[in-house]
Amino acid sequence: AAPKTLSVFRTDEVVVGTILTPEESTSSCVTGNVIYDWQLTSGQSLTIDSNEASTSAISFAPNTLLVGETYIFQLTVRYDITNAPSSVQTTEVFVAWQPPTVVLLNCDRVVDIGPNAGILEIDASNTFDTDYPSNGLTEISLSWSCDRGGAANCQIDTFLQLADQQASLTINANILDFTNGSVADGLSLERGFAELPYTFTVTATQVLTGGSSSASCDIWTRKLDIDIVVLFIDTEGPDSQNSVSFAATSPSDVASVNLLASSIVSYQWDCKLPEGTDCSFDLSGAIARSPSTSQTFIIDSSFLTRG
């Protein structure tokens, strides 16, 4: 019979079997039990189980075969009678390399890029050799890249170069831009549909084989540590149909305020001092952290004068 060739992974359970029957097996004159005889004719560090060597199939548990090795098995099949002819089947089993398994930590989150922002770290230290997990990163080369899609550019080449071959990428977070491209929306923890996050990708390459795999994670940025004042209109209180109330709160409280969005109501925020004169800032300028025509109006409190 023509040789069979199989390609497997080290982590597979490998079963080598046969559908061979002895020569003249269709003859009504030939009867008797079938004898199977397995031999390993090529391949390192492998022994055929004696309990399987005389059966129609042999098996090997995961992580038994050596990666990169070609094992050649020869099976002889005949009837258990004197001078019975035999059939021989040869099977070649090649154990292929698998690409590394990439594991990223500290991903897919919103980070602060305000003046007191810290270090952004993307961690790939748990990446490992799929075939020999205990080797960890010993035989693996790492490279980092960044993309923001569209016309946006990450502009962090220096940090990417410093991270080359390193298990983690670290960046001073305050050098990053707003991923939603708008200071006015910079305090929202919601991820905008058209937002361009920083997409960091690490590629792990097996040094010996050149096999590689990649994993990516997205980072959204906000200036979360700015002191702000949030003004909102409560349109769902018990007296909502007769009056509108105003209040100031912190960003953490906003999530608990149930704000009613209505397409038939328009809003325009204005600012005046107690004596009726206009405030000394433009509500559409730098003080605004949200549009002055929105139901919720967010401002930077550093523009306010104490007292």
Side-chain angles (χ1 to χ4, degrees):
K4 296 190 300 182
T5 301
L6 302 175
S7 180
V8 301
F9 294 124
R10 173 176 165 81
T11 52
D12 294 336
E13 178 184 9
V14 178
V15 178
V16 183
T18 182
I19 56 173
L20 284 178
T21 55
E23 292 182 6
E24 301 181 10
S25 61
T26 58
S27 171
S28 60
C29 298
V30 179
T31 60
N33 296 325
V34 176
I35 295 178
Y36 301 93
D37 180 25
W38 288 95
Q39 299 293 327
L40 175 65
T41 61
S42 179
Q44 301 181 52
S45 304
L46 189 67
T47 302
I48 298 175
D49 188 331
S50 59
N51 294 323
E52 295 185 342
S54 57
T55 63
S56 61
I58 54 177
S59 62
F60 303 94
N63 304 315
T64 300
L65 308 185
L66 297 180
V67 176
E69 188 76 10
T70 298
Y71 296 89
I72 300 178
F73 301 95
Q74 180 176 287
L75 171 65
T76 302
V77 183
R78 67 179 180 84
Y79 279 110
D80 187 15
I81 57 176
T82 304
N83 298 324
S86 61
S87 299
V88 178
Q89 173 73 64
T90 299
T91 302
E92 295 184 2
V93 177
F94 173 69
V95 187
W97 291 90
Q98 297 183 80
T101 298
V102 181
V103 180
L104 282 178
L105 303 178
N106 303 330
C107 280
D108 299 331
R109 59 193 174 97
V110 174
V111 301
D112 174 26
I113 60 170
N116 297 320
I119 299 297
L120 167 63
E121 180 181 21
I122 309 296
D123 185 358
S125 61
N126 287 338
T127 297
F128 61 91
D129 186 320
T130 307
D131 295 306
Y132 299 97
S134 61
N135 288 349
L137 290 169
T138 304
E139 301 293 336
I140 294 176
S141 171
L142 297 176
S143 61
W144 295 85
S145 63
C146 179
D147 179 66
R148 291 194 62 195
N153 190 297
C154 293
Q155 298 181 339
I156 56 167
D157 290 349
T158 299
F159 292 94
L160 294 174
Q161 292 169 7
L162 291 173
D164 189 52
Q165 306 306 318
Q166 301 300 312
S168 64
L169 169 66
T170 56
I171 303 168
N172 295 329
N174 58 13
I175 72 165
L176 302 178
D177 294 327
F178 279 115
T179 52
N180 58 9
S182 170
V183 174
D185 296 330
L187 289 165
S188 172
L189 294 180
E190 296 295 327
R191 300 168 186 176
F193 176 77
E195 193 167 348
L196 297 176
Y198 286 85
T199 299
F200 297 99
T201 300
V202 63
T203 299
T205 303
Q206 225 290 342
V207 176
L208 296 178
T209 67
S212 64
S213 57
S214 301
S216 300
C217 71
D218 291 334
I219 295 296
W220 292 263
T221 60
R222 302 288 188 271
K223 285 191 175 180
L224 302 178
D225 61 348
I226 294 179
D227 291 329
I228 63 168
V229 173
V230 179
L231 304 177
F232 65 91
I233 304 174
D234 181 6
T235 60
E236 294 196 358
D239 300 322
S240 60
Q241 296 188 14
N242 300 319
S243 64
V244 176
S245 61
F246 299 83
T249 185
S250 66
S252 60
D253 295 330
V254 175
S256 64
V257 178
N258 189 5
L259 299 176
L260 179 64
S262 173
S263 60
I264 63 173
V265 177
S266 62
Y267 304 93
Q268 179 62 58
W269 290 89
D270 194 7
C271 178
K272 291 186 180 297
L273 297 176
E275 60 271 21
T277 58
D278 290 336
C279 300
S280 59
F281 40 71
D282 181 3
L283 292 187
S284 61
I287 187 175
R289 295 299 176 184
S290 67
S292 60
T293 55
S294 61
Q295 183 177 2
T296 303
F297 185 37
I298 305 174
I299 61 175
D300 184 342
S301 65
S302 64
F303 286 81
L304 304 180
T305 302
R306 184 177 299 275

